[in-house]
Amino acid sequence: MNGTLDHVMVRVSNLADSVDWYQTHLDYEEKGRHEGDGFTIVYLGPADMHPESAMLELTHNEGETPTLGDAWGHVAVRVPEGELDSAYEQLMDGGVSDYRDPESCGGKYAFVKDPDGHEIELVERDHGRLWSLDHTMLRVEDADQAIGFWGRKFEYELAGRWEADTFANYFLEPAGAAPEAMSVELTSNYDGRTYDHGDAWGHLAIRADDLLEDWEQLLTREAPAYRPPSENENRYGFTKTPSGHEIELLERDPDADSLFPF
């Protein structure tokens, strides 16, 4: 299985406003667009993306206003080392609302929000394009179960961890992943809370070498068959984590004319 994270999907209430926000403030460019029956999907990302970099997928369903839950935390974007303060100030000067500045985060990171309230973390990295996706954070109720799921089903390895008195963060990614690839951050709070998914966050997508073979492998590894490829014209399939986060499996042909598997 390839295992590279291909994109993270969020739902937005006003597509034009959201596309403009990401293009204006994060200098993203439109990678592809699909107009469906009552919905539109747009892929965004920085120019000259690394082959293993992940994209942001915006989905707009006509007449719907997505609701935020807390089972999804944030997406994180990269800024060069030593430039966190200047990057945050750039966003403030550009009209982004102040949310959590670097000083309030101990000078290690910062947060802003997009027009629908999706949280975006700024992290310093010595690799990857400016504003490229670094990781996406999921909150889990059972860290051992969650780490085991990603390891057994998708062959992810623990790439880092950070523990505090009340919570812990675990970073996972495929073995041999490029530094430019996106990773998954699992956050486990120790207070026994449960989480609401809402519908403003959609899914994570993982690249398969061969969709049908890798799907069968997932089933052998006892992954839930949430939306199997057979229900989607064998173009993609969906499973779910133990915490209910949706995971899409798809093949990505770099030479294809369209990014969309449908």
Side-chain angles (χ1 to χ4, degrees):
M1 182 177 294
N2 183 304
T4 301
L5 285 165
D6 185 78
H7 63 267
V8 56
M9 186 273 266
V10 299
R11 296 185 179 92
V12 299
S13 55
N14 186 306
L15 184 62
D17 286 351
S18 293
V19 170
D20 179 71
W21 192 91
Y22 282 97
Q23 289 181 331
T24 299
H25 301 299
L26 301 189
D27 200 28
Y28 279 12
E29 63 180 26
E30 190 169 313
K31 305 294 187 180
R33 178 182 291 248
H34 174 76
E35 304 281 351
D37 184 13
F39 69 94
T40 304
I41 294 173
V42 176
Y43 283 133
L44 298 171
D48 302 322
M49 291 175 57
H50 186 275
E52 291 190 31
S53 291
M55 295 176 290
L56 180 69
E57 175 188 334
L58 304 183
T59 292
H60 171 67
N61 297 308
E62 294 177 9
E64 293 185 6
T65 301
T67 56
L68 286 167
D70 58 1
W72 296 76
H74 59 259
V75 291
V77 297
R78 302 176 179 118
V79 301
E81 290 188 341
E83 297 184 19
L84 177 62
D85 289 318
S86 60
Y88 193 81
E89 286 305 315
Q90 176 184 325
L91 295 176
M92 297 302 98
D93 292 344
V96 175
S97 298
D98 186 21
Y99 176 47
R100 294 178 61 189
D101 64 18
E103 183 178 359
S104 70
C105 299
K108 298 179 179 179
Y109 48 87
F111 283 87
V112 295
K113 289 184 178 183
D114 77 358
D116 285 279
H118 299 101
E119 294 187 14
I120 300 168
E121 181 184 13
L122 279 63
V123 293
E124 293 184 326
R125 296 288 186 260
D126 63 358
H127 56 267
R129 302 272 307 174
L130 174 65
W131 308 126
S132 60
L133 292 177
D134 184 76
H135 64 267
T136 188
M137 187 270 269
L138 316 177
R139 294 188 178 94
V140 299
E141 296 163 15
D142 186 327
D144 290 333
Q145 184 184 49
I147 293 170
F149 174 90
W150 285 94
R152 184 177 180 217
K153 272 61 171 181
F154 294 105
E155 303 171 29
Y156 275 37
E157 298 180 345
L158 190 63
R161 65 191 295 163
W162 189 82
E163 299 189 44
D165 292 337
T166 58
F167 68 94
N169 297 331
Y170 305 92
F171 292 86
L172 296 97
E173 59 190 31
E180 293 84 357
M182 185 171 74
S183 58
V184 176
E185 176 189 354
L186 305 179
T187 292
S188 173
N189 292 294
Y190 300 153
D191 54 8
R193 72 182 77 175
T194 59
Y195 302 104
D196 172 42
H197 281 263
D199 61 3
W201 294 86
H203 61 259
L204 283 172
I206 291 178
R207 296 179 193 167
D209 292 315
D210 182 289
L211 174 61
L212 298 184
E213 288 184 6
D214 288 348
W215 181 260
E216 288 304 314
Q217 187 177 62
L218 284 178
L219 297 185
T220 299
R221 295 171 178 174
E222 301 178 289
Y226 174 51
R227 293 175 58 195
S230 59
E231 296 180 2
N232 301 291
E233 299 180 342
N234 289 327
R235 297 172 185 253
Y236 53 89
F238 280 85
T239 185
K240 279 188 177 183
T241 72
S243 297
H245 300 97
E246 295 185 15
I247 310 296
E248 180 184 12
L249 192 70
L250 79 168
E251 290 183 49
R252 177 69 72 205
D253 182 355
D255 298 319
D257 294 332
S258 173
L259 293 171
F260 299 92
F262 42 78

